[in-house]
Amino acid sequence: SVSSGINAEYGGLQCVYEHESSILKCTMKFGCFLPPQHNNKRKLPIVYFLSGLTCTEQNYIMKSGFQRYAAKHGMVVINPDTSPRGFDFPGEHESYDFGSGAGFYVNATEEPWKTNYRMYSYVTGELPTVVSSNFNVNMVKSAISGHSMGGHGALIAALKNPGKYKCCSVFAPISNPSECPWGQKAFAGYLGDNKAAWKNNPVYSSLQYDATFTAKEYEGPKLEILLDQGSEDPYLNDKQLLPENLANACSNNKQINLNFRMQQGYDHGYFFIMSFMEDHFNFMAKHIC
């Protein structure tokens, strides 16, 4: 990994690294916060944060204020980009909710996306391998978090890989993509337009990427999920997020403990995220520190 930026922050280091991804077949960047404790010999717990539509690795680094809480708890925090970069497929850069900046954390099966748009395998496989090879982390103590499209990514990563992440923390996630316009557009483009297949594939199949359906069938170790949702989020009212469907699925599965909090007056953006970031780091620290 090659550093493309290091800044001292809260006694630690906020870095951005780039590396050649064998899964995505391009150069990828990811943020890496090393807390003050990174100079000790003890292996540190790790948090992955997945961002939403249009984001790069920079949004979470610059807007969320997470570093204060990661430093306090002694957590390494890794946040990747939201899609492969450097390609120019037809239609890739034409809309904010598909293609570049909108990889949706799936492994595409359709042309021309299937060779490079493999963000699910990147986030759950290659990126942890890169991190464990280069930083002093305890991979057994991992948590995953995310916002909006990244909340969807965090949920499916946790639900499809039982035990890999000790807990899951999400802000306004796209909770039932098979049933919302954003998800239907992305799934049709990346996975093909057989909507029945999106819903009916078993939870651990390579084509099941809907958290509401995976939650119904999840059979792993007890999974703790904290979900915060702003009551004034326009995408909640537009039925893009559908957290109530996820909550219903989780309520019928004793292996999932979902704490679903509706936060009055908050919208979808980073003012909302930063307001509850401390809560989410305290929640994750309980499970991995």
Side-chain angles (χ1 to χ4, degrees), residues 171-250:
F171 300 86
I174 301 174
S175 298
N176 192 185
S178 299
E179 300 292 348
C180 77
W182 275 339
Q184 289 172 348
K185 177 178 179 177
F187 282 15
Y190 295 135
L191 305 175
D193 56 10
N194 181 0
K195 294 182 182 180
W198 308 341
K199 303 176 187 183
N200 297 330
N201 281 299
V203 59
Y204 304 122
S205 90
S206 60
L207 290 173
Q208 180 52 271
Y209 295 108
D210 190 311
T212 292
F213 299 124
T214 54
K216 287 177 183 174
E217 293 188 34
Y218 176 81
E219 294 178 339
K222 189 74 172 261
L223 179 62
E224 302 283 339
I225 303 173
L226 174 60
L227 190 164
D228 274 334
Q229 172 63 58
S231 67
E232 303 308 304
D233 186 330
Y235 304 115
L236 178 69
N237 300 322
D238 288 348
K239 304 294 184 189
Q240 292 280 23
L241 305 176
L242 303 172
E244 64 277 11
N245 294 0
L246 176 67
N248 184 53
C250 291

Side-chain angles (χ1 to χ4, degrees), residues 81-227:
D81 203 348
T82 54
S83 76
R85 301 289 178 176
F87 302 102
D88 198 17
F89 299 120
E92 185 180 15
H93 311 303
E94 288 177 5
S95 56
Y96 78 97
D97 55 358
F98 186 81
S100 55
F104 261 84
Y105 305 103
V106 302
N107 288 345
T109 58
E110 300 298 297
E111 295 287 2
W113 316 103
K114 67 181 185 180
T115 302
N116 307 98
Y117 273 69
R118 300 177 55 77
M119 288 298 291
Y120 176 78
S121 286
Y122 177 72
V123 164
T124 61
E126 184 179 18
L127 185 60
T129 300
V130 169
V131 169
S132 65
S133 301
N134 288 278
F135 305 103
N136 194 26
V137 291
N138 183 349
M139 301 301 286
V140 174
K141 295 188 172 181
S142 298
I144 193 160
S145 183
H147 167 233
S148 195
M149 175 185 74
H152 144 76
L155 287 166
I156 58 171
L159 289 163
K160 287 165 65 69
N161 296 276
K164 186 177 181 74
Y165 309 97
K166 299 303 180 195
C167 61
C168 181
S169 132
V170 287
F171 300 86
I174 301 174
S175 298
N176 192 185
S178 299
E179 300 292 348
C180 77
W182 275 339
Q184 289 172 348
K185 177 178 179 177
F187 282 15
Y190 295 135
L191 305 175
D193 56 10
N194 181 0
K195 294 182 182 180
W198 308 341
K199 303 176 187 183
N200 297 330
N201 281 299
V203 59
Y204 304 122
S205 90
S206 60
L207 290 173
Q208 180 52 271
Y209 295 108
D210 190 311
T212 292
F213 299 124
T214 54
K216 287 177 183 174
E217 293 188 34
Y218 176 81
E219 294 178 339
K222 189 74 172 261
L223 179 62
E224 302 283 339
I225 303 173
L226 174 60
L227 190 164

Side-chain angles (χ1 to χ4, degrees), residues 40 50 61 64 77 86 96 108 121 142 156 201 206 256 278 281 285:
N40 303 342
L50 307 182
I61 291 171
S64 72
V77 181
Y96 78 97
S121 286
S142 298
I156 58 171
N201 281 299
S206 60
I256 301 175
E278 183 173 18
F281 269 81

